[in-house]
Amino acid sequence: MVYHIKKALLCILTVLGSSLVYGQDNIYYKRLSIEQGLSLTSVMHITEDKYGFLWIGTQQGLNLYDGYGFKVFLPEEGKNSILSGHIFCLAPDENGDIWIGTDAGLSKYDRLKNKFTNFVHKKNDSSSIAGGRVTALLHDSKGRLWIGTENGISCLEKNTGVFINYPYLVYNNKKINVTQPSKIIEYSNGDLYFSTPFSGFFRMNKSGHIIEQWTKMKDTSDVHHIINPSVESFIFDKKGNLWLGTVIG
């Protein structure tokens, strides 16, 4: 079973193309699409759980791939089902459960109970999740879940089920709206990094304070100047260099 799943990690999910075999390095590319059971070809996120199973979030359903076939999870009225089929992000936890960010809120799939627990934004309830559109997820080293929404950032203490919300962040005595983060990662020192589509790129310390912001500035010589404030993705390389991907380069 695990062999088939590891093999599946080499698959490229795409609308176009066909099965190709390249002799160099003996890498095998296999197409997985609707014909094989995938719910939709618009794939938003792919992750692997602790058991080696592949989870695929699309704009129309959550897909579990076991190396042989797909199981699709869709919202079902009156049942303990996923909030929405429009999925933005996935985050497996140490228990093998899957946390899912959707356009209607946050869902958690409990593998042992085979059911979903859902968290939705409630307008007049400050203890609920900050927003209904969940675009980024991260489990940090302290066991907390960080959640990016259209109304800011939430931090869920999973042991208590309490949300701590950050509708805005403060940097240089200015309030900054951090909406719809596209990615959140934790650095080795515990600091968190957020990329956003409107406000640039941020670094938050363990106390929840912004200590650096990278965005487009008038002074292009400033070390925190970037070519565009819409940051889609980022990564730290092995040397500790930070690479940012924006909508224009």
Side-chain angles (χ1 to χ4, degrees), residues 102-126:
T102 80
D103 66 348
L106 176 68
S107 290
K108 174 193 173 184
Y109 176 65
D110 188 316
R111 290 185 62 93
L112 294 179
K113 297 180 181 179
N114 189 31
K115 73 173 186 176
F116 290 85
T117 301
N118 298 315
F119 306 87
V120 297
H121 172 64
K122 299 176 183 177
K123 189 174 182 180
N124 298 316
D125 185 358
S126 60

Side-chain angles (χ1 to χ4, degrees), residues 39-40 42-45 56-62 73-75 82-90 100-107 132-135:
S39 63
L40 195 70
S42 296
V43 174
M44 307 297 290
H45 199 131
I56 304 164
T58 75
Q59 292 182 348
Q60 191 175 313
L62 174 65
F73 299 90
L74 291 166
I82 191 170
L83 270 174
S84 169
H86 192 146
I87 294 164
F88 292 110
C89 50
L90 303 168
I100 308 113
T102 80
D103 66 348
L106 176 68
S107 290
R133 185 181 176 93
V134 176
T135 55

Side-chain angles (χ1 to χ4, degrees), residues 140-187:
D140 70 12
S141 57
K142 295 182 178 180
R144 301 172 299 185
L145 179 67
W146 290 87
I147 306 149
T149 81
E150 84 283 11
N151 292 332
I153 297 166
S154 290
C155 179
L156 174 63
E157 296 282 354
K158 288 181 284 185
N159 292 333
T160 63
V162 174
F163 288 95
I164 300 172
N165 295 323
Y166 301 84
Y168 59 83
L169 298 172
V170 177
Y171 181 66
N172 286 342
N173 296 318
K174 294 181 180 180
K175 292 181 180 180
I176 301 171
N177 293 321
V178 182
T179 59
Q180 296 183 197
S182 54
K183 188 175 182 180
I184 310 171
I185 70 167
E186 182 179 20
Y187 199 59

